[in-house]
Amino acid sequence: MIRTIAIAIICLIIFGRCAQQVSPTGGKKDSIPPTLLESNPLNKTLNFKGKKIEVFFDEYVVVDNINQKLIITPEADNPYSYKQNGMSVSLSFKNEFKDSTTYTLNFGDAIRDFAEKNPAKNLKLVFSTGSTLDSGRVYGTLKDIKTNKPIFDALVGLYNLSDTLNIAKQKPYYFSRTDSSGVFSIENIQTRDYKLIAIDDKNRNMLYNAKDERMGFLSKPVTAGSDSASYNLNMFLSDNTALKIQRTIPRVNNYAVVFSKSIEKVDVKFMNNDTLPYMLENGAALKFFNVQPHPDSTLVKLTVTDSLGTVTDFEQKIAFQAQRGKERQRDPFNMTTKPEGNKALTNTFTYTLNLNKPVQFLDDKNITLITDSLTHEPLSAFKYRWDPTRTTLSIEAKSFAKDTIKWDFPKGSMLSVEGDTLPKTLLKHPVLNEENYGQIRGAIVNADTSMRYIIELVDEQYKLIETQYTSPYTFIHIPQGKYYIRVTLDANRNRRWDTGELDKDKQPEAIYYLPDKILLKANFELNDVNVTLPK
């Protein structure tokens, strides 16, 4: 009998372990989000004095990154902990909420159902610690000024009006985040005037980082009323941090001065009757080259203009590392071109060479443009010019080739300031076939005759294809594809877009888009592609 019972127990254990619990197969997938049944306090409660908030749902729920996704306005500076308990979630705050204030808790998609992780929709709780609920509202849309595309998850804030407002150190009093359409809405706020500012807030600390975050603002205060108008903001990069020399990189062959941000131009003045070749590299570094003879150190005065047009002066000592060994290791001498290799050229064209070192010698008699096997025209036959650092060469050329345009650079025809040369290089470009390209013509409508414009053709990825500065405009030899027309109001006539500055209450130069995307076919002309500007 005992043996029989033992065998039965063993069988139960074995079969029990073998049995697996599996979810039932088939059936319709749950797509219904959890529904809020009750909250404590109730929505729109008055005179709330507690420190704990609870929300109850019709199914089991989980919490997803609530510390990042829960938006509490006005910003409470009141730490909390949370606890999920089956079909409810509770928040326990450290301190009581500020008296006579309306608070909004917007949970976003922080609470989801347990099974399919469907987020609760429009989950928001409003309560007041006073006897009334604030009814003010500010709403609108947010777009990137360069692409005209809506911006998702940017912080849009209402700041108290102040002459000393510093959004790098001060958080907004009320705020919201944009949805995927760039729409924001800040509700249940005090009815008064505010400064409306939007920032990328990539690290979600609600403070502005000018180095890599976009921002946008309205110059005039906005009034938060129950019937207030919609506000549209454009965001832009505006690095207003002070320009500094971030570091220096001394080497045997060169000495680099690296700035804290991109610069537009730099003027170099040698202070002790010395001179060194130099170039601007990657937009934020100034590289000096070690050529003999020169003193152990060279003092230079740098006058640097940043992207905002701010001019800063520096004095810098250039001192190269001491040489070790017989020969100095040099960076290879190389060249890129615009247009890039194998891109089609018309028979009359502008050609640009970009070198990674200043050039000390150019043999314009041996560098030739090859039209056919018998016709070789030297570079000296064409108009060309160097930039101030002799690292960019622009050539205006003309060819009679029928199929292929070739540039021949013999070895030794170009020497850098370090004495090295390019290897023998043959660059080839097919001759452009007019039938494979199209044209776009149009004008600026409602144009101010005193204003200058920058008219740009960009592709679907907003890569610049061509620029013109007069209306009517014509873009020719455009490959088949989809494009946008972008118009910048060039207020200061410097033929470049200028950004805005919050500290100076300066808005960026306005940019307008042709509303519809342009579809251009090969061997086709589009006429009257006009951009209408607001009056």
Side-chain angles (χ1 to χ4, degrees), residues 211-227:
K211 291 292 293 181
D212 61 358
E213 290 184 350
R214 292 168 296 181
M215 63 94 64
F217 67 96
L218 291 184
S219 295
K220 295 181 179 180
V222 300
T223 301
S226 57
D227 57 350

Side-chain angles (χ1 to χ4, degrees), residues 1 25 116 128 174 197 233 381 411 415 428:
M1 180 67 179
T25 59
E116 298 293 342
S128 174
Y174 292 104
I197 303 173
L233 279 77
K411 183 177 181 179
L415 298 178
K428 298 180 181 180

Side-chain angles (χ1 to χ4, degrees), residues 29-64:
K29 183 178 179 180
D30 177 17
S31 60
I32 301 175
T35 300
L36 180 67
L37 297 178
E38 186 182 355
S39 65
N40 184 19
L42 295 174
N43 192 38
K44 299 185 178 180
T45 289
L46 303 178
N47 299 308
F48 178 69
K49 303 301 180 185
K51 295 193 292 184
K52 185 176 181 179
I53 293 171
E54 294 179 282
V55 284
F56 302 88
F57 298 90
D58 63 344
E59 60 180 311
Y60 285 93
V61 293
V62 293
V63 172
D64 179 26

Side-chain angles (χ1 to χ4, degrees), residues 314-454:
F314 301 95
E315 283 194 2
Q316 179 65 38
K317 184 173 71 172
I318 310 299
F320 301 98
Q321 283 186 342
Q323 180 177 339
R324 295 178 181 180
K326 294 182 179 180
E327 291 189 10
R328 298 185 294 175
Q329 294 295 320
R330 296 175 299 198
D331 294 330
F333 186 32
N334 57 53
M335 173 178 66
T336 59
T337 67
K338 188 176 181 182
E340 298 85 359
N342 297 318
K343 288 291 182 68
L345 294 175
T346 59
N347 278 314
T348 300
F349 59 94
T350 299
Y351 205 74
T352 303
L353 309 179
N354 295 299
L355 294 307
N356 70 328
K357 302 178 188 180
V359 172
Q360 69 168 341
F361 171 74
L362 178 72
D363 187 350
D364 60 3
K365 300 294 191 297
N366 281 325
I367 297 174
T368 56
L369 181 67
I370 302 174
T371 296
D372 54 43
S373 58
L374 298 178
T375 307
H376 293 208
E377 293 184 90
L379 175 61
S380 58
F382 306 110
K383 184 185 294 186
Y384 67 86
R385 65 183 182 278
W386 286 105
D387 73 327
T389 62
R390 290 181 68 86
T391 55
T392 300
L393 181 68
S394 299
I395 308 167
E396 296 179 15
K398 189 173 183 179
S399 168
F400 298 97
K402 294 182 179 179
D403 299 313
T404 306
I405 297 172
K406 302 176 184 177
W407 282 107
D408 182 22
F409 293 83
K411 183 177 181 179
S413 60
M414 194 180 297
L415 298 178
S416 82
V417 292
E418 293 187 322
D420 51 350
T421 183
L422 295 172
K424 177 178 174 58
T425 304
L426 185 65
L427 302 174
K428 298 180 181 180
H429 297 269
V431 175
L432 185 143
N433 183 347
E434 299 274 354
E435 294 183 355
N436 295 333
Y437 297 84
Q439 297 185 17
I440 303 173
R441 292 189 176 93
I444 309 300
V445 181
N446 293 339
D448 182 350
T449 56
S450 65
M451 180 65 70
R452 292 294 181 267
Y453 302 94
I454 304 170

Side-chain angles (χ1 to χ4, degrees), residues 137-139 156-159 161 184 186 189-197 217-225 228-233:
R137 181 189 181 205
V138 170
Y139 64 100
V156 184
L158 294 175
Y159 295 77
L161 298 180
F184 66 89
I186 311 174
I189 57 181
Q190 295 177 21
T191 304
R192 55 185 174 88
D193 290 345
Y194 300 91
K195 185 74 172 179
L196 179 60
I197 303 173
F217 67 96
L218 291 184
S219 295
K220 295 181 179 180
V222 300
T223 301
S228 59
S230 175
Y231 298 99
N232 301 316
L233 279 77

